[in-house]
């Protein structure tokens, strides 16, 4: 498994062979406040880099998580349907959102250190 | 732009790791432990809010006739131990601000929205009404919740609901903005930290403006700038119950006409059976009548999205279609309060 990378739109992703796991960063969940609803995509749905894949409703505002690369959804974290707070409590762990098969590799995300200086 | 104002508790909020936001020109705590947790503190136990950003003006009883002319409620004839929610109305019958008056034997305090303090002061100036601005010399702490009265009764004597009291350093009323029982307490800025420490020692948790907003929405209470504006009358906002002024007052003709004709905008409560929140500004339609959402959020207690919507006229149907980011989401108008 490769290192966790971050996007300027505050998603994180981890590439594992031909698959990628996506969620939102700790900074993003902090800015959103309490997450109350998550709308996940369907397994099999295809997304291009930059497409909105997940919609997150929080008490403060609404946000979308975008695809880090062209991919097809293979699994969604259905626990988020009943426990959206997992994203607040453990954004880069149990709060993962989707797993997808990579259609076109794009590993141009920032390292954690780069992301940290990006948000500060 | 001038710098953001702070209450005397600003450093204290920072020491509690509060998330700070700008609200009406004030740097205020948005949350400490998270909006949902704080919401539940109040519904299940008790929380306190620093609401010192709200304007506090001392008025004179000798000018009560003149003051009564500017609001749609009867302030003049209620007893001198009462707190009164009312609305300053314009000549067009619209809301200049919604406020609370605290009546005491010897004193009359007006509490207005932070965003409207200057507007209210100018309005009083125009009508030659004198006031003493207490906003910076005092703080205002709202203690609210299921157990709030039990807890504060160990600190001060508790008046009846919607009544006022003064005791030692505390000037207060049994009012609030959460749908729960509680007190709103005004005190000298030098006394606030000691009061808060006493509340915390009794288990009352600090709550920010985030939960204040979800609590007031769930309690079906309007927020100035959203449900009430200088383009919306008390009648249109569904606050006909505040219109108790028997004398002449500013905007009376328009308000009386609206009561009679029912031809005006209508503010309604709605709920969605969806996982989307219809937020402020969301456009909707019911029975061909267009509406716009004034406030929307999740109801943490009910677990579904709720809100207020302002329709151009009274829709005949209770089904509403909201356009949420291009998706049409169905909702229902409610004729009762969100929480029973």
């Amino acid at each position: 498994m490769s290192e966790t990378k971050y996007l300027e739109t505050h998603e994180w992703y981890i590439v594992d062979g031909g698959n990628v796991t996506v969620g939102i960063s700790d900074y993003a969940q902090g800015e959103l406040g309490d997450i109350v609803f998550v709308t996940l995509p369907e397994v099999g749905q295809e997304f291009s880099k930059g497409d909105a894949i997940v919609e997150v409703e929080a008490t403060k505002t609404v946000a979308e998580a975008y695809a880090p690369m062209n991919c097809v959804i293979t699994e969604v974290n259905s626990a988020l349907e009943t426990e959206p707070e997992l994203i607040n409590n453990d954004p880069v762990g149990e709060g993962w959102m989707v797993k997808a098969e990579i259609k076109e590799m794009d590993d141009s995300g920032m390292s954690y250190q780069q992301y940290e200086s990006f948000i500060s | 732009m001038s710098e953001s104002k702070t209450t005397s508790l600003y450093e204290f909020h920072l020491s509690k790791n509060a998330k700070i936001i700008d609200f009406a020109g004030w740097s205020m705590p948005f949350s400490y432990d998270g909006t949902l947790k704080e919401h539940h503190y109040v519904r299940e136990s008790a929380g306190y809010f620093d609401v010192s950003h709200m304007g506090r003006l001392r008025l004179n009883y000798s000018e009560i006739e003149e003051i009564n002319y500017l609001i749609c409620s009867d302030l003049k004839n209620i007893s001198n131990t009462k707190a009164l929610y009312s609305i300053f109305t314009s000549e067009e019958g619209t809301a200049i601000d919604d406020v609370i008056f605290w009546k005491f034997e010897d004193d009359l305090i007006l509490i207005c929205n932070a965003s409207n303090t200057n507007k209210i002061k100018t309005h009083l100036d125009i009508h030659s009404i004198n006031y003493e601005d207490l906003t910076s010399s005092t703080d205002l702490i709202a203690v609210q919740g299921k157990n709030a009265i039990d807890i504060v009764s160990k600190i001060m004597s508790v008046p009846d609901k919607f009544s006022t009291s003064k005791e030692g350093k505390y000037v207060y009323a049994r009012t609030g903005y959460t749908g729960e029982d509680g007190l709103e307490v005004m005190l000298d800025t030098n006394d606030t930290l000691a009061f808060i420490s006493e509340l915390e020692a009794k288990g009352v948790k600090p709550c920010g403006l985030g939960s204040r907003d979800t609590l007031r929405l769930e309690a079906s209470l309007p927020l100035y700038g959203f449900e009430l504006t200088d383009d919306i009358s008390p009648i249109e906002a569904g606050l006909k119950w505040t219109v108790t002024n028997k004398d002449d007052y500013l905007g009376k003709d328009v308000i009386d006409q609206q009561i009679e004709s029912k031809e005006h905008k209508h503010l309604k409560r709605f709920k969605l059976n969806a996982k989307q929140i219809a937020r402020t500004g969301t456009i909707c339609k019911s029975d061909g009548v267009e509406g716009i959402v004034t406030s929307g959020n999740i109801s943490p207690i009910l677990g579904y999205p709720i809100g207020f919507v302002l329709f151009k006229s009274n829709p005949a149907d209770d089904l509403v279609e909201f356009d949420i980011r291009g998706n049409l989401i169905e909702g229902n108008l409610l004729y009762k309060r969100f929480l029973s």
Side-chain angles (χ1 to χ4, degrees):
Chain A
M1 224 179 324
S2 68
E3 68 170 316
T4 308
K5 296 274 186 78
Y6 291 82
L7 303 181
E8 287 188 2
T9 44
H10 308 290
E11 295 80 6
W12 59 263
Y13 69 85
I14 303 174
V15 172
D16 183 8
N19 297 299
V20 62
T21 306
V22 185
I24 62 167
S25 72
D26 188 45
Y27 173 80
Q29 69 77 22
E31 288 298 298
L32 286 171
D34 292 298
I35 292 164
V36 291
F37 301 117
V38 180
T39 305
L40 296 163
E42 303 278 328
V43 169
Q45 248 182 296
E46 198 170 336
F47 293 97
S48 299
K49 179 184 165 77
D51 286 352
I53 39 177
V54 178
E55 190 179 74
V56 178
E57 290 274 11
T59 50
K60 220 165 150 183
T61 186
V62 62
E64 287 172 327
Y66 303 106
M69 56 195 86
N70 301 350
C71 60
V72 177
I73 303 298
T74 53
E75 194 182 342
V76 298
N77 186 359
S78 51
L80 300 179
E81 307 259 2
T82 50
E83 294 172 86
E85 64 273 18
L86 287 173
I87 300 169
N88 291 118
N89 298 340
D90 190 11
V92 193
E94 280 188 67
W96 67 273
M97 292 174 165
V98 298
K99 292 183 196 291
E101 187 191 327
I102 297 166
K103 285 289 164 193
E104 191 184 339
M105 173 67 84
D106 179 348
D107 197 13
S108 60
M110 293 176 269
S111 69
Y112 183 70
Q113 275 152 321
Q114 285 168 324
Y115 179 68
E116 238 189 349
S117 60
F118 170 73
I119 57 178
S120 59
Chain B
M1 277 294 282
S2 57
E3 236 177 62
S4 219
K5 286 178 275 195
T6 54
T7 76
S8 81
L9 292 175
Y10 183 69
E11 294 298 326
F12 173 81
H13 298 318
L14 292 183
S15 78
K16 290 250 158 199
N17 285 324
K19 242 183 207 306
I20 302 288
I21 53 154
D22 183 84
F23 181 83
W26 292 76
S27 290
M28 297 299 294
F30 180 79
S31 65
Y32 305 81
D33 294 345
T35 294
L36 291 181
K37 270 190 189 166
E38 293 164 24
H39 189 103
H40 290 293
Y41 293 155
V42 172
R43 289 277 180 258
E44 286 156 24
S45 173
Y48 71 87
F49 302 79
D50 176 12
V51 287
S52 310
H53 59 310
M54 299 187 80
R56 291 174 295 291
L57 307 177
R58 175 177 281 139
L59 305 171
N60 300 320
Y61 270 116
S62 59
E63 294 174 331
I64 197 153
E65 289 283 350
E66 290 81 355
I67 298 161
N68 218 53
Y69 176 70
L70 300 182
I71 60 173
C72 63
S73 321
D74 181 8
L75 175 70
K76 202 174 62 177
N77 295 309
I78 61 165
S79 90
N80 284 10
T81 55
K82 284 288 176 192
L84 177 76
Y85 172 78
S86 189
I87 294 162
F88 276 87
T89 43
S90 69
E91 216 167 334
E92 293 77 38
T94 60
I96 293 172
D97 194 14
D98 62 334
V99 302
I100 294 264
F101 289 96
W102 289 357
K103 283 183 97 175
F104 301 94
E105 292 298 338
D106 55 344
D107 218 352
L108 182 59
I109 307 279
L110 160 64
I111 301 172
C112 62
N113 283 292
S115 54
N116 288 333
T117 305
N118 285 335
K119 188 164 75 167
I120 284 293
K121 283 164 76 170
T122 306
H123 190 56
L124 295 175
D125 287 338
I126 289 169
H127 292 273
S128 305
I129 293 167
N130 293 294
Y131 55 83
E132 181 191 352
D133 190 345
L134 307 173
T135 311
S136 55
S137 60
T138 62
D139 281 317
L140 186 67
I141 304 297
V143 189
Q144 301 278 298
K146 198 174 146 198
N147 304 330
I149 291 297
D150 269 359
I151 294 167
V152 285
S153 68
K154 295 182 176 83
I155 303 174
M156 60 191 88
S157 62
V158 174
D160 291 341
K161 283 191 179 179
F162 274 93
S163 295
T164 64
S165 190
K166 281 183 185 179
E167 198 172 275
K169 55 191 178 187
Y170 307 116
V171 177
Y172 53 103
R174 192 159 166 188
T175 50
Y177 191 51
T178 60
E180 299 295 332
D181 209 345
L183 297 184
E184 292 177 297
V185 182
M186 185 171 85
L187 68 182
D188 189 280
T189 52
N190 296 317
D191 297 322
T192 314
L193 274 179
F195 176 52
I196 280 177
S197 303
E198 219 174 332
L199 291 174
E200 290 209 350
K202 292 176 166 52
V204 186
K205 303 276 196 184
C207 298
L209 294 186
S211 54
R212 189 167 158 83
D213 193 50
T214 53
L215 286 158
R216 71 92 192 167
L217 182 62
E218 198 177 63
S220 306
L221 299 170
L223 173 61
Y224 195 90
F226 295 84
E227 284 68 43
L228 276 170
T229 68
D230 48 23
D231 198 34
I232 301 171
S233 78
I235 303 304
E236 291 171 328
L239 299 169
K240 188 180 160 193
W241 64 271
T242 65
V243 182
T244 54
N245 196 335
K246 302 281 186 293
D247 299 338
D248 190 25
Y249 62 92
L250 213 53
K252 182 181 194 303
D253 293 352
V254 181
I255 287 174
D256 285 350
Q257 198 264 328
Q258 285 182 348
I259 292 174
E260 201 176 322
S261 74
K262 294 185 169 65
E263 280 173 19
H264 52 76
K265 290 177 271 200
H266 285 258
L267 187 79
K268 302 280 183 189
R269 282 178 284 270
F270 70 85
K271 68 166 187 172
L272 298 182
N273 306 308
K275 299 204 303 181
Q276 275 86 18
I277 293 170
R279 294 177 195 270
T280 308
T282 302
I283 301 294
C284 66
K285 233 175 206 176
S286 173
D287 189 34
V289 182
E290 246 183 66
I292 183 161
V293 173
T294 54
S295 296
N297 212 325
I298 186 174
S299 160
I301 296 297
L302 300 169
Y304 50 74
I306 58 169
F308 283 114
V309 53
L310 187 67
F311 286 102
K312 288 185 173 164
S313 61
N314 201 8
D317 198 4
D318 73 343
L319 274 182
V320 200
E321 231 173 24
F322 294 85
D323 182 349
I324 302 181
R325 297 177 291 280
N327 298 314
L328 292 180
I329 309 286
E330 213 165 80
N332 295 93
L333 299 183
L334 300 172
Y335 300 96
K336 288 182 179 164
R337 289 173 173 268
F338 297 120
L339 296 185
S340 49

